[in-house]
Amino acid sequence: MAGFFSRSARATAEDDTALESAPLRPIEATDAARRVEMLDSFEAAGLGWFWATDAQGRIIYLSHGASRNLGWSDDEAIGKSLSELFIPEKVDDPDKPQRPLAFLLRARNSISQLNVRLAIEAKEVWWEIAGKPQFDEQDRFTGYRGSAKDITATREKDRAAQRMAEYDPVTGLANQQRMGQRLTEMLKAYRNSKRSCALMILDLERFQHVNDTLGRAAGDELLKQVATRIGRILGNKGEIGRMSGDAFQIVLPDIDDRGALGDLGQRLIQMVSQPYIVSGARAIIGASSGVAIAPYDGLDTEELTAAADLALQAAKAGGRGQYRFYSSDLKDGAKNRHQIEEDLRDAIDNHQLAMHYQPLVCSKTHMVKGCEALMRWTHPERGEISPADFIPVAEEIGIIRQMGEWALNEVCRQAMSWPVELRVAVNVSAMQFSQDDFPSVVKNALAESGLAPHRLELEITESVFLGDTGRTQRMFGELKAIGVRLALDDFGTGYSSLSYLRNAPFDKIKIDQSFVRGATEEGSNNAAILSAIVSLANALEMETVAEGVEAKDELDLVTQRGATLIQGHIFSRAIPSEDFLERLKEGKLKYEPLGPDKYRAARKTVFRRIGLIHEDSRYKVVMRNLSKTGAMIEGLLDVPLGTQIVLDLGGGQLAVATVRRSKGPMQGVEFETPLISDGADGLCTRHRVSPYQIEAAGRPLAALPQDPYSLIMAEQMGANSRKKFVEVEVGGPKTGSGY
């Protein structure tokens, strides 16, 4: 091998000089020449190079090909320290630690398949090197002899293959496998360091429709745009991955504030739901999200993912376009949903469904001008079942068409019996609207009942615009040709676009109650939004209905802002058909506003047994109603005003409160920190008792049980605690506020 054993390469190694001067026998000389020739051929073919150092680690030989790869002349590397030429590879896997090259050289260890990056700035070049320490007859270290080869191309191929295995080819995000690995590593590390980690699953709605109508390429482009929007909202707060199909996974380290997570979830849903342009066409999708937090809702990947998925299913069942936090109640909710699904199929045949009517009242005269028909379900064993529970199930299992057709026929029939010619509005689901025979269904209902078409109003949500625009317009034309009226329901909450109002022949816009709620509070922009919607409707010669009006100050506001009609509890709840008919027969066409003078945070009537902590004692009380800012409880006698307490709402939720009203066994309390929305119609605390606190109290680390606080305080609140207040027995649920 020319040069490897040359005199110039050994000039700095005295031990090698003695070897060179030893005489070689003819056979040995021939063998040596052949070895040199073979090594030269090996180098020339680019299969590898050779290097050698002296005892001080300085290069005394480097193959010509290696020098050229470095961009040096043959003699430029001679005399340089070997460790200075390379940057050792960084290994991310903690289970596979790697000794740096400098350490190996100092320890005179053998080097085997060590990946090193050349210390050159112009480009990224990687070598794989190997070498063995050399010793003379006196066992003195004389340096290293080794080999090297360029693995840059191979390494790039391996990295590309690894990327294909770990990253989604469409969005470039981590795939489900990599996200699972990352989450597993993170949860393991965070458990040791007592940190939290949130997992959010974001599921796209109506994505398949884009694939079906615009093609697979358009669907892929849409996914890329969705990924970009998620990344823009998330920033550097966490890691995003794409699960199979149309779902995304978001891992958020060190976040357990459900208020912050709820805000993030809502922003993501709103951003993802804005229109897209793909393949030159306009596409609109929606999203729902489920959130679970470690260690509260699960300790390992499987448990946490299952919790987030259950929360997602609850969000989708709640009407879609929502986020939902995991809670142990969702397991019971899943069972309840399955029961609803089984029973709902027989509800029509068994005459369990009925139509109730809520009046639409003139904002100026308070005279009834029409009503909205609302479906109610009374189960023979479980009583009243909320439409929020059974309507989503009906849509999912495909019987909403049958239920909608029954409702349309029933409403038309009942309206014909009214002594006053009022308009009646019927809700139409997007699934009903998508059926080509829907106009025929409307015609048949009118014909069989004899109801005049102008008395029937079809309330349609903005989701009907998410399909074929041309078909939607044709459907509107057919319905208007029949003579019925059209109303745009829940305006401003979905996928609002002025083009809907420009092209669709609506007679009425219904302003969603979310714009009425809190409109009278200082700093709210809702009043300005109300004015804008009313002005827009007036310009288009459409009526407006303000939904969900409950307080007199809200009534005054929406009246001043010009709403045409008012709908809400301030005038009447939805009442059974018989009661509505009786009122019309009696000529009671004017409604008096009945409600509080001012809006306050909505209080939800409940009957729930909870814990109450005062000083070192724990009591059992009943919560009668609940709002973001306070609650009414019953079960303790004569609690003084100003008493500081803590309500244990279950599931690790503790709410610090002050008694503001007290009468006998009932107290009205105000929360120190307002509760937040759970994404649906419920409330929850921002923070919960940490499983790490329970672990510190001597219990095994696990996801939160239903009553974790009692585990922490079991020893402190025992038989020795002296209770200050007298507990009284509380009866069952009451009608009305009871206070």
Side-chain angles (χ1 to χ4, degrees), residues 75-97:
D75 295 330
E76 197 172 346
I78 304 303
K80 291 185 178 181
S81 173
L82 181 67
S83 60
E84 294 178 3
L85 302 184
F86 307 115
I87 304 171
E89 180 181 24
K90 293 182 179 179
V91 179
D92 295 330
D93 191 343
D95 296 328
K96 297 180 180 179

Side-chain angles (χ1 to χ4, degrees), residues 205 288-291 306-327 329-334 337 388-389 392-393 396 678-681:
E205 299 163 3
S288 298
S289 177
V291 185
D309 189 62
L310 194 57
L312 172 64
Q313 298 308 315
K316 293 167 70 173
R320 304 181 184 274
Q322 300 179 354
Y323 66 87
R324 189 71 64 88
F325 299 116
Y326 171 79
S327 73
D329 293 340
L330 292 183
K331 293 181 179 178
D332 296 332
R337 185 192 176 287
D389 292 333
V393 175
E396 189 164 332
D678 66 355
D681 60 349

Side-chain angles (χ1 to χ4, degrees), residues 183-370:
L183 184 59
T184 298
E185 293 169 1
M186 188 176 294
L187 293 179
K188 182 178 179 181
Y190 281 21
R191 192 183 310 173
N192 295 332
S193 55
K194 312 301 181 188
R195 295 164 65 185
S196 60
C197 174
L199 174 64
M200 182 179 294
I201 298 179
L202 190 72
D203 187 68
L204 305 184
E205 299 163 3
R206 294 175 296 279
F207 170 74
Q208 189 58 45
H209 176 76
V210 176
N211 259 351
D212 294 341
T213 57
L214 299 180
R216 180 68 176 271
D220 288 349
E221 175 58 31
L222 179 59
L223 288 173
K224 292 177 185 177
Q225 294 188 37
V226 170
T228 299
R229 292 188 185 186
I230 296 174
R232 193 179 304 142
I233 291 289
L234 195 63
N236 59 358
K237 295 178 183 176
E239 186 171 350
I240 313 167
R242 181 191 169 200
M243 303 172 70
S244 58
D246 54 2
F248 292 81
Q249 197 175 56
I250 302 170
V251 176
L252 299 156
D254 298 313
I255 298 182
D256 63 359
D257 183 340
R258 292 192 288 185
L261 288 168
D263 290 343
L264 177 61
Q266 190 62 45
R267 287 174 61 204
L268 285 169
I269 291 169
Q270 290 175 347
M271 177 63 80
V272 169
S273 301
Q274 297 304 309
Y276 300 82
I277 300 296
V278 292
S279 299
R282 190 168 183 265
I284 301 178
I285 59 173
S288 298
S289 177
V291 185
I293 309 170
Y296 304 86
D297 305 320
L299 299 181
D300 57 34
T301 299
E302 184 178 353
E303 189 177 15
L304 192 66
T305 303
D309 189 62
L310 194 57
L312 172 64
Q313 298 308 315
K316 293 167 70 173
R320 304 181 184 274
Q322 300 179 354
Y323 66 87
R324 189 71 64 88
F325 299 116
Y326 171 79
S327 73
S328 56
D329 293 340
L330 292 183
K331 293 181 179 178
D332 296 332
K335 294 179 181 178
N336 182 53
R337 185 192 176 287
H338 180 69
Q339 189 64 50
I340 288 175
E341 181 178 330
E342 289 188 347
D343 296 345
L344 189 56
R345 298 181 187 277
D346 300 323
I348 296 178
D349 294 338
N350 294 336
H351 308 290
Q352 297 171 8
L353 299 180
M355 301 308 298
H356 287 205
Y357 297 90
Q358 186 172 30
L360 275 65
V361 177
C362 176
S363 60
K364 296 179 180 179
T365 65
H366 295 177
M367 297 291 291
V368 61
K369 294 297 182 181

